[in-house]
Amino acid sequence: MKKKMLLLNTTVLLGLGGVLSTPAYASTIQDMESQKSQIQNQRQDVQSNIKAASDELTRLQAEQDQMKAQLERLTLAEEENNKKAEKTEADIKETSKQVEQLEKEIKLLQEKLEKRNAILKDRARSLQESGGNVEYLQVLLGSSSFSDFVDRALAVSTIVDADRGILKETKNMQDELKTKQADVKSKLASLEDMKAELDEMTVQLAAQKKQKDALAKELKDKEAKNEELKASLQSKDSSLANEQSTLEQNIKDQKAAEEAARKAAEQAAKEAAEQAQKEAAAPAEQADSSSAKAEAPKASSNDVAPTSAPAPKASNVVTVGNRWIGNSAYVFGGGRSQSDISHGLFDCSSFVHWAYSQVGVNLGPLGSVSTETLKHAGTQVSSSQMQPGDLVFFDTYKKDGHVGIYVGGGKFIGAQSSTGVAIANMSSGYWKQKFNGRVVRI
């Protein structure tokens, strides 16, 4: 009987030992824990890439906002310049009409003068035939033109008062028309200069706007691609999270099944031991019970803790205008009001005036500043002695049509019609060709 009970206990314990060891379960949990760790590492990489994509989107948005602000300035500058161009064209047309009218008046006057010339010649011929004054005859013979004849005739004292009155009236009309014609032509030339600069500026602004639009489109495309990448990474992260959650649940279920099997085996062993104790003698029961308790394996935990996700001086005139680089636009006649200055709308001479005013140097009334006033504002020096802070002049649409501030290294800063305030190279290319050698030291 004792041998029979020992055999039964041995069989139960062997069965319990087989259930508790569960090598297949241990291997599966270990694999799943390893896979879970790999997924967590992948998620960390993906989340890091998502953060980088978000940072890039933020940077691109800031760059795009700055570009939009600059495009708005360019649009405003273009509108102002177009208005000035239209007004200049209207002034040119009106002045052209004035010139045309004057030319008609001059033509009529010339016809009248030719008739008077014929009359005076007849009078001179008649005087000659009647033995008149020789001095008067010499006026006709010595004059090189009718205008010269009028001047000479007025100087002859023997001419009759009636002739003298006609000649004086004619000369006064002729001088007045010449003066008006010269004034109108001068005004027309000035307006043509303005139109030439406006035309050049409009072309350059259009090119700049085209370039800025292209850059804005490029930024928008980059933003779209980055958004797509971010969405893809978020989708992958979500998929990995689901996979990780599934693995965690499988591990939990596996551990729960193992724990249930262990408890069931313990319960079976306990029931078998109790049954054996009833049928065997007390010493045998104690021996069997001690043996069962001594040989009963202890449960072990395979839980793995989840890993957590990682956590003014005058010398400053060469740099004071840097704040407007990329934040300004060129407006012909701009920069002469606080509103223009606040919006970064300058032309070349108003920018130079503003820059020097920021370091305490007054270059004259702001309302009348121009390249003409600035080239007389200081002392002219040789271009070989040029130093930072000097004014440099360029022949663009006219002589000394553009001015900037030399910053050193063959470069100057100024309000350029194509870019607004910018630093340009005058040692090569366009500005080298336009630099006329005029350097003024303030």
Side-chain angles (χ1 to χ4, degrees):
M1 180 65 178
K2 187 174 182 179
K3 289 182 179 180
K4 181 179 179 181
M5 293 304 298
L6 286 172
L7 180 60
L8 176 62
N9 289 339
T10 301
T11 302
V12 170
L13 290 173
L14 285 174
L16 178 61
V19 171
L20 291 177
S21 63
T22 57
Y25 287 139
S27 176
T28 301
I29 292 175
Q30 219 168 24
D31 290 344
M32 286 190 292
E33 289 285 4
S34 175
Q35 190 174 357
K36 174 186 171 183
S37 178
Q38 291 175 5
I39 290 174
Q40 287 176 330
N41 290 336
Q42 290 179 35
R43 284 196 69 193
Q44 288 179 10
D45 292 340
V46 170
Q47 288 169 354
S48 177
N49 290 334
I50 290 174
K51 184 179 183 304
S54 296
D55 291 344
E56 177 65 8
L57 276 174
T58 301
R59 187 192 69 78
L60 286 174
Q61 185 61 53
E63 189 174 349
Q64 194 173 40
D65 290 344
Q66 184 179 5
M67 188 61 63
K68 286 179 180 177
Q70 178 65 359
L71 286 173
E72 288 175 1
R73 274 189 292 271
L74 287 173
T75 301
L76 177 60
E78 189 174 24
E79 289 174 356
E80 290 298 319
N81 289 323
N82 284 336
K83 288 178 183 177
K84 286 183 172 63
E86 290 173 1
K87 183 180 183 303
T88 302
E89 288 173 355
D91 290 344
I92 289 173
K93 289 180 180 179
E94 179 60 30
T95 306
S96 298
K97 289 180 181 179
Q98 294 175 16
V99 172
E100 184 178 352
Q101 181 60 34
L102 280 172
E103 287 174 345
K104 289 180 179 178
E105 293 176 8
I106 290 172
K107 185 177 179 181
L108 290 173
L109 177 61
Q110 287 173 340
E111 291 175 356
K112 290 180 180 180
L113 290 174
E114 287 175 1
K115 291 178 181 179
R116 291 186 181 186
N117 186 22
I119 293 172
L120 290 171
K121 283 182 179 180
D122 288 340
R123 291 174 66 85
R125 189 177 299 110
S126 175
L127 185 62
Q128 182 182 17
E129 292 173 352
S130 62
N133 191 292
V134 176
E135 184 180 4
Y136 183 65
L137 295 176
Q138 289 177 341
V139 169
L140 285 177
L141 296 174
S143 60
S144 59
S145 65
F146 181 66
S147 178
D148 184 32
F149 167 77
V150 172
D151 292 335
R152 286 170 174 262
L154 287 171
V156 177
S157 61
T158 59
I159 197 166
V160 296
D161 290 341
D163 290 347
R164 184 180 297 276
I166 293 174
L167 289 168
K168 282 186 176 181
E169 182 183 353
T170 301
K171 180 170 177 57
N172 290 339
M173 291 175 61
Q174 189 178 47
D175 291 344
E176 182 181 359
L177 285 173
K178 284 182 179 179
T179 300
K180 287 183 178 180
Q181 187 178 36
D183 289 344
V184 172
K185 286 186 177 180
S186 175
K187 183 178 179 182
L188 183 59
S190 175
L191 290 172
E192 289 289 356
D193 284 344
M194 292 170 60
K195 181 64 168 57
E197 182 174 8
L198 284 168
D199 288 345
E200 179 183 0
M201 177 187 54
T202 301
V203 170
Q204 291 176 341
L205 280 174
Q208 184 189 31
K209 189 175 185 304
K210 183 178 180 181
Q211 180 184 7
K212 296 295 185 183
D213 287 343
L215 184 54
K217 183 179 182 302
E218 181 182 353
L219 286 171
K220 187 175 182 180
D221 291 343
K222 284 182 180 179
E223 186 178 21
K225 289 180 181 179
N226 209 48
E227 284 281 12
E228 184 180 351
L229 173 61
K230 183 179 177 182
S232 174
L233 289 170
Q234 288 175 332
S235 175
K236 183 175 181 181
D237 181 62
S238 177
S239 175
L240 288 171
N242 291 335
E243 191 174 346
Q244 179 180 335
S245 177
T246 300
L247 279 170
E248 288 172 348
Q249 186 61 44
N250 288 344
I251 290 171
K252 184 178 179 181
D253 292 346
Q254 192 76 359
K255 286 182 177 180
E258 181 180 333
E259 181 67 13
R262 185 184 67 78
K263 287 181 179 180
E266 286 181 349
Q267 183 64 29
K270 181 178 178 181
E271 291 175 355
E274 289 176 351
Q275 183 66 27
Q277 286 175 355
K278 290 179 182 179
E279 296 177 1
E285 290 176 356
Q286 289 179 352
D288 292 340
S289 177
S290 298
S291 176
K293 289 180 181 180
E295 294 179 9
K298 294 182 180 181
S300 60
S301 174
N302 290 324
D303 290 341
V304 178
T307 59
S308 59
K313 296 178 180 179
S315 59
N316 292 339
V317 73
V318 300
T319 57
V320 71
N322 288 353
R323 57 171 289 195
W324 294 117
I325 295 176
N327 298 304
S328 60
Y330 185 97
V331 172
F332 184 78
R336 288 165 177 77
S337 69
Q338 189 54 50
S339 176
D340 279 358
I341 293 173
S342 299
H343 288 88
L345 304 179
F346 297 96
D347 65 9
C348 61
S349 54
S350 66
F351 170 75
V352 169
H353 187 284
W354 173 86
Y356 268 93
S357 71
Q358 299 305 295
V359 296
V361 179
N362 186 356
L363 295 181
L366 176 59
S368 59
V369 67
S370 66
T371 54
E372 286 298 313
T373 63
L374 290 176
K375 73 181 185 182
H376 300 296
T379 303
Q380 188 164 338
V381 298
S382 170
S383 60
S384 62
Q385 298 176 334
M386 188 163 47
Q387 62 186 30
D390 290 343
L391 304 187
V392 286
F393 291 80
F394 305 84
D395 293 342
T396 51
Y397 71 102
K398 68 175 183 178
K399 185 169 180 61
D400 297 318
H402 189 70
V403 63
I405 302 171
Y406 186 65
V407 299
K411 297 180 180 180
F412 76 100
I413 186 171
Q416 327 297 8
S417 59
S418 59
T419 59
V421 176
I423 294 175
N425 188 354
M426 56 185 288
S427 298
S428 62
Y430 177 81
W431 292 114
K432 181 180 180 180
Q433 296 173 5
K434 297 298 181 180
F435 179 53
N436 60 20
R438 185 187 296 278
V439 179
V440 172
R441 184 161 298 160
I442 302 301

